[in-house]
Amino acid sequence: MPAIPPLRLGVNVDHVATLRNARGGRAPDPVRAALLAIEAGADGITAHLREDRRHIRDDDMARLKAEISKPLNFEMAATAEMLQIALATKPHAVCLVPERRTEVTTEGGLDVVGQRDALGPFIARLGDAGIRVSLFIAADPAQIEMAAKLKSPVIEIHVGAWCDAVVEGQKQKAEAEWQRIVAGAKLAQSAGLEVHAGHGLDYVTAETISALPQIVELNIGHFMMGEAMFVGLAQTIRDMRAAMDRGRKSLRGHR
Ligand code: PXP
């Protein structure tokens, strides 16, 4: 049997900044959370610098880059302003996401097909600077094929609809979304893309999705920051790592 590819845990610290910004001031500090997450076993840190700076701010991103010892995944919209900041920050990776000011969170995947003319040069500029680019997209064959055509090395599959359906007990919807993810992950890998997944994952869905050998990184934020309030961040990271390891071992026959 071929070796099981390792699965990385990227911890999104946006909501530490959300809590800080609710009061102003400096606490709680997302960089402190990032350092603690790494100490507890995170393989990387993700932060989203939104156009409206509602959580992570420019100096948070600069401090994350300067202070953490693991890869920084800089999430951003494909705008000229963000491109400039990313090129100056030089994170390990950039994940391009769609962004609307009125949304509560990133609601859907990037329309790579519709925006291919704009995204192509973005991917090239970031790649030329040595930054690994990822596109946050739905598990839609047309979007996946376009991501490969534009030579993005990585995609992150938006698994929010599946996670919501699982949590709400909508069995049929959850199964349909799951099948889309399985097929999408296989298609992406066969197109030469590295495959990540994120949005809405909790212990249950993270364990399930860890059984897909095509997926090599999960980016998780909201659920873990909520859990951290009850059991602490380090324990949450260890529990998430354990859920991922259980799922990875089972592989559930999706090879
Ligand atoms: N991946 C991407 C690209 C995201 O935009 C987000 C949300 O900011 C996440 C992962 C993490 O999602 P969640 O906070 O629901 O775990």
Side-chain angles (χ1 to χ4, degrees), residues 12 14 75 95 97 105-106 136 156 198-201 219-222:
N12 181 314
D14 290 350
E75 277 182 21
C95 181
V97 302
T105 181
T106 313
F136 189 43
E156 180 168 324
H199 212 281
L201 290 164
N219 285 302
I220 312 178
H222 183 85

Side-chain angles (χ1 to χ4, degrees), residues 72-149:
L72 173 62
N73 178 29
F74 185 146
E75 277 182 21
M76 59 182 235
T79 65
E81 183 204 13
M82 287 299 153
L83 178 63
Q84 221 177 32
I85 298 171
L87 290 173
T89 308
K90 295 191 176 61
H92 170 77
V94 158
C95 181
L96 295 175
V97 302
E99 210 177 284
R100 284 192 296 118
R101 262 178 190 266
T102 50
E103 70 189 359
V104 175
T105 181
T106 313
E107 283 166 358
L110 203 56
D111 180 10
V112 187
V113 174
Q115 292 181 265
R116 59 182 177 270
D117 293 342
L119 289 171
F122 246 87
I123 296 166
R125 283 283 301 278
L126 291 163
D128 289 347
I131 299 168
R132 189 200 67 190
V133 181
S134 161
L135 303 179
F136 189 43
I137 59 174
D140 170 349
Q143 301 291 347
I144 293 167
E145 279 157 11
M146 186 54 73
K149 209 165 161 186

Side-chain angles (χ1 to χ4, degrees), residues 5-10 73 95 132-140 144 147-148 152-159 180-198 201 209-210 212-219 244 248:
L7 178 62
R8 298 188 296 269
L9 170 60
N73 178 29
C95 181
R132 189 200 67 190
V133 181
S134 161
L135 303 179
F136 189 43
I137 59 174
D140 170 349
I144 293 167
S152 176
V154 182
I155 59 160
E156 180 168 324
I157 298 179
H158 191 311
V159 296
R180 263 168 28 107
I181 293 167
V182 172
K186 287 181 180 168
L187 174 66
Q189 191 185 52
S190 67
L193 292 157
E194 180 174 312
V195 191
H196 301 176
L201 290 164
I209 205 164
S210 297
L212 295 183
Q214 296 84 11
I215 293 178
V216 298
E217 182 174 306
L218 300 180
N219 285 302
M244 288 164 60
R248 203 61 165 176

Side-chain angles (χ1 to χ4, degrees), residues 34 165 168 254:
E168 297 303 327
H254 288 294

